[in-house]
Amino acid sequence: MRCVILSFAFLVCVTFQVSAQDPFKHEQKIVSLVEPYLTHPKVNSLSIGVVANGQSWTGNFGTLSADLDQTATGNTIYEIGSISKVFTSILLANAIESGKIKLDEPISTVMTELAETNPAVGNSITFRHLSHHQSGLPVMPLNLAPADSTNPFKGYDRAMLTQYMIKATPARKPDEGYEYSNLGVGLLGDLLSQQAGVSYEELLRTVIAQPLGMSDTTVRLSEDQSPRFAPPHNSALLPDSAWDFDALVGCGGIRSTVDDMLLFAQACLIPPDGALGKAFDLAWKQHKPAMQGNPAMGLGWMIAGDGSTRWHNGQTGGYHCMILVNRDLKCATVMLSNTAEMQLDRLAEQIFQTCVGMNVPPTTFDQEFKVDPKIAKRLEGKYQLAPGVILTVQVKEGRMMAQLTGQQFLGLSPISETE
């Protein structure tokens, strides 16, 4: 569930030369941008939404799976992965605006056991550090040992998280660098839940989803929602598993639809009145400058090189998604897919560029080199890259796949029999 850091250099020089245009004007162009991802093929199903200059447009492409010849709709539900981090940070901003939490107070004010058992961690890491990935905590807790590698967060509960934090010894002090951390933002979500005295799901529903009318944005699916859940696929287009979250839900456990995410995008462009709107604005504000090749950040939001576009992507075992929002250009793009294909970020960028009047050509893909499955099979195994970080390599239906501990399986693209 790592976030791929993008520079968005294309916006640096053009921000004040382009503006959002009626997305319906660009419908055929968007279709042409999507087409290579369907014909190559790279994905099963895509749901795309655009808000531009006050107009909304949605499009659904492909089929939900090879054996389910059905196109998604605006109500098809996807995992949004690490875009959940933006929601978690808006919940943080809401708690700050409500006077319940201060951004720069230590996490031991909520996780009180740390004040005595691990004060070096509990009294030095702040809520800001967790939102900005500057806590010094690793990407995953070292006591995460999933029984099922295809559902890595299942069963990791608050007791295990607390046990880890009591013994945690971060490799560096807060503010001494940047390390993208699912653990950090997952911990943030759990702390907000503890402070509010309700589950993360209930907090999400009452603070954000219900006020914005996002009726299908949730963690656990109801009986009505389950049939609308898009079946997950890995990057080899093979069936995969949905992910279940417990204590770390705030880093990647939200599910939503393109219709709901367009409501969210609209609220990012024009925040609602009242406390929730103030929370959106506080999260939107730049809080951390770009440094050492890492992006500037709001709360949860990555800020592109133009200084104006906010974005985040997300990927779980069988889904990939991205959101881009620019208030100056009055434009937002949402892309949801039930295929864990990282190259989809490029497509989301292209659609955003198109909707602000830029002329971008469709992506072309090279023919993939085919490796003899017998040769690929020799490379199967587990490779330790660092303490607690294992790279698992498998061959599934002739396709080489690799997975880091706590991450999704990704397809490997061979360029020869040895590379």
Side-chain angles (χ1 to χ4, degrees), residues 185-260:
V185 185
L187 172 62
L188 175 60
D190 192 64
L191 293 175
L192 293 171
S193 172
Q194 289 187 54
Q195 192 281 325
V198 298
S199 69
Y200 180 93
E201 183 172 39
E202 178 67 9
L203 194 62
L204 171 70
R205 185 184 68 82
T206 56
V207 174
I208 300 177
Q210 194 171 61
L212 297 182
M214 300 172 67
S215 58
D216 283 321
T217 299
T218 186
V219 175
R220 293 172 296 178
L221 301 180
S222 67
E223 289 185 9
D224 169 68
Q225 292 168 329
S226 293
R228 295 187 280 119
F229 190 36
H233 297 81
N234 60 36
S235 59
L237 305 183
L238 301 174
D240 210 282
S241 298
W243 281 9
D244 299 299
F245 287 78
D246 196 333
L248 298 180
V249 62
C251 77
I254 297 175
R255 293 157 175 174
S256 190
T257 67
V258 71
D259 284 355
D260 269 14

Side-chain angles (χ1 to χ4, degrees), residues 282-354:
L282 180 59
W284 184 270
K285 176 184 175 182
Q286 179 174 319
H287 293 264
K288 181 184 82 68
M291 58 178 67
Q292 299 175 340
N294 294 303
M297 289 192 68
L299 294 179
W301 286 111
M302 305 293 178
I303 301 178
D306 65 336
S308 181
T309 303
R310 269 62 171 169
W311 67 275
H312 214 294
N313 55 5
Q315 184 165 291
T316 54
Y319 303 86
H320 193 90
C321 56
M322 191 171 194
I323 182 171
L324 305 96
V325 186
N326 188 306
R327 288 184 178 177
D328 294 336
L329 301 180
K330 300 178 181 179
C331 184
T333 297
V334 173
M335 181 203 65
L336 307 176
S337 177
N338 67 333
T339 308
E341 175 52 71
M342 295 179 69
Q343 295 184 75
L344 286 170
D345 285 345
R346 187 191 312 174
L347 175 61
E349 291 179 62
Q350 290 174 324
I351 293 170
F352 182 85
Q353 290 171 306
T354 295

Side-chain angles (χ1 to χ4, degrees), residues 25 35 47 60 64 77 152 175 224 228 240 250 275 295 301 372:
K25 174 183 176 181
E35 193 63 27
S47 292
N60 296 284
L64 291 174
I77 298 173
D175 280 329
D224 169 68
R228 295 187 280 119
D240 210 282
W301 286 111
D372 185 336

Side-chain angles (χ1 to χ4, degrees), residues 62-116:
T63 58
L64 291 174
S65 66
D67 57 358
L68 185 60
D69 188 16
Q70 178 182 335
T71 303
T73 71
N75 292 320
T76 298
I77 298 173
Y78 299 85
E79 292 181 356
I80 66 169
S82 287
I83 295 178
S84 304
K85 293 178 172 67
V86 176
F87 284 81
T88 297
S89 289
I90 290 174
L91 292 176
L92 169 63
N94 183 76
I96 294 168
E97 291 291 344
S98 302
K100 299 173 183 176
I101 283 176
K102 294 180 181 178
L103 184 58
D104 289 309
E105 67 183 357
I107 62 173
S108 58
T109 57
V110 175
M111 206 172 197
T112 55
E113 53 265 67
L114 292 184
E116 293 185 2

Side-chain angles (χ1 to χ4, degrees), residues 371 376 379 393-396 398-402 410-414:
V371 177
L379 299 175
V393 176
Q394 292 182 3
V395 178
K396 298 185 177 183
R399 178 75 183 268
M400 290 187 68
M401 309 291 293
L410 299 176
L412 300 179
S413 298

